[in-house]
Amino acid sequence: MPSDLDLRVVRYFTVVADQQHFGRAAEALHITQPSLSRQIRSLEQQLGARLLDRTPHGSRLTEAGEVFLPRAHAMLRSADEAAAATRAAAEPSRITIGYTTSLIVTPATRELRRRHPEADVQTIHIGWNEPRSALLDHRVDAVVGRLPFATDRLQVTVLYDEPRVLVVSLEHRLAGKESVTIDDIADESLPRLPDAEWNAFWRIDPRPDGRPAPDGPVVKDIEDKLELIAAGQAVAIAPGVFKNGNRLRPDLTAIPLEGVEPSHVVLATRAGDRSRLVAAFRKYAETLLTPND
């Protein structure tokens, strides 16, 4: 009966499904391809259904595989959450706090350590697009980050707002202006990131008049974006922390962007988390974390 599924093999299946190729999946899992194939066949026999079809270019999910995949992910997520919750119960004096680019958590973590000297307080930098996954994967217990990101299954509190600015090359026609508006960059190329919600907010797409924002190159991290801007190939909308050239390359400048919604800096934790350290950090974050003027 499938009630005793081996979660290790279930995880193997999800990797093959994601990679759509047994060879790449085996490499990612650090096992041999024949061994991986045997494990998947064993899982299929246990379930009584073929999950994957081999193709000339790799593999694809069968109809049964399409049904099983989201449930496999749910099983693995539940197992990870159960393990993490058990560890947290066994180690009630540990907390890991995540933070994203250019956000400072030191005042709140310092106060947490001062008030709870017995606690092991760890901090870790995470990517701009990782707050939710880092929390639900139990890599962190709290995150200070910027919206937008998916907030289902999370408790989210706005700590403060940041005005947004326009980052341009020192050679750009707008460099040196006291402020700009969306109309000033109506035809300017803005880099895109692989996240639709993030793009909509940080590219202001669509614009207030309903027109789409001009397409720009796709980038994966801030350094690639800054290089494009410095080369004169794009401009970018950024958090107000970059104003007055703070944390920018010397060949870039930031100009206040008027008439747009500010960026929201938030504290996110897992919904229903009753950890005393999480509650304490939330209190200190709401009191002590302020814009980085």
Side-chain angles (χ1 to χ4, degrees):
M1 297 294 294
S3 58
D4 59 349
L5 290 177
D6 185 337
L7 290 181
R8 177 177 55 89
V9 181
V10 173
R11 193 180 301 276
Y12 287 177
F13 162 73
T14 64
V15 175
V16 177
D18 292 341
Q19 294 285 344
Q20 297 183 342
H21 194 281
F22 273 83
R24 289 195 297 268
E27 183 177 353
L29 292 165
H30 304 291
I31 61 175
T32 66
Q33 185 171 335
S35 175
L36 177 60
S37 295
R38 286 195 298 271
Q39 303 273 12
I40 298 300
R41 281 198 301 271
S42 175
L43 176 63
E44 290 174 327
Q45 290 169 0
Q46 190 174 11
L47 292 171
R50 191 174 73 257
L51 303 175
L52 292 154
D53 281 334
R54 290 184 180 271
T55 72
H57 303 292
S59 63
R60 65 184 176 202
L61 291 168
T62 63
E63 185 174 347
E66 294 278 5
V67 170
F68 183 61
L69 182 60
R71 291 162 175 79
H73 281 302
M75 274 190 284
L76 296 172
R77 184 167 57 248
S78 295
D80 288 342
E81 290 174 355
T86 302
R87 286 193 298 269
E91 301 175 356
S93 294
R94 294 192 62 176
I95 183 172
T96 300
I97 298 160
Y99 59 96
T100 61
T101 302
S102 72
L103 293 177
I104 296 174
V105 296
T106 309
T109 56
R110 182 190 295 124
E111 184 68 6
L112 184 63
R113 292 185 179 104
R114 188 180 74 82
R115 297 289 190 96
H116 299 271
E118 81 291 351
D120 179 9
V121 180
Q122 302 290 330
T123 57
I124 182 173
H125 178 266
I126 63 173
W128 59 269
N129 58 343
E130 292 187 299
R132 183 175 182 275
S133 61
L135 283 165
L136 297 184
D137 293 345
H138 288 259
R139 286 182 282 147
V140 298
D141 303 296
V143 172
V144 176
R146 290 184 179 88
L147 293 176
F149 55 81
T151 59
D152 55 301
R153 301 171 63 196
L154 304 182
Q155 179 178 342
V156 176
T157 303
V158 175
L159 298 177
Y160 57 86
D161 289 343
E162 295 174 317
R164 286 189 276 177
V165 299
L166 182 72
V167 180
V168 300
S169 162
L170 288 178
E171 306 298 323
H172 194 275
R173 61 182 177 83
L174 296 174
K177 290 182 69 70
E178 291 188 3
S179 65
V180 293
T181 67
I182 285 297
D183 290 339
D184 292 319
I185 58 170
D187 299 317
E188 293 281 354
S189 173
L190 282 81
R192 291 173 291 150
L193 289 162
D195 183 285
E197 191 174 12
W198 191 265
N199 279 329
F201 184 80
W202 287 105
R203 286 166 38 84
I204 310 182
D205 187 13
R207 297 295 165 78
D209 61 5
R211 291 187 302 167
D215 273 348
V218 176
V219 298
K220 292 185 178 180
D221 58 51
I222 190 170
E223 294 303 324
D224 290 337
K225 179 187 290 188
L226 296 182
E227 178 60 30
L228 285 171
I229 299 168
Q233 295 180 276
V235 300
I237 298 169
V241 69
F242 291 114
K243 66 185 178 181
N244 300 322
N246 185 30
R247 295 179 179 84
L248 279 177
R249 293 167 38 148
D251 51 0
L252 302 177
T253 187
I255 311 163
L257 182 60
E258 303 291 343
V260 300
E261 178 188 0
S263 164
H264 306 295
V265 175
V266 300
L267 169 66
T269 59
R270 288 181 291 275
D273 191 331
R274 298 180 181 180
S275 164
R276 64 186 180 90
L277 291 178
V278 168
F281 180 74
R282 180 180 296 110
K283 174 183 176 181
Y284 306 142
E286 291 176 349
T287 304
L288 300 173
L289 298 187
T290 59
N292 304 324
D293 294 328

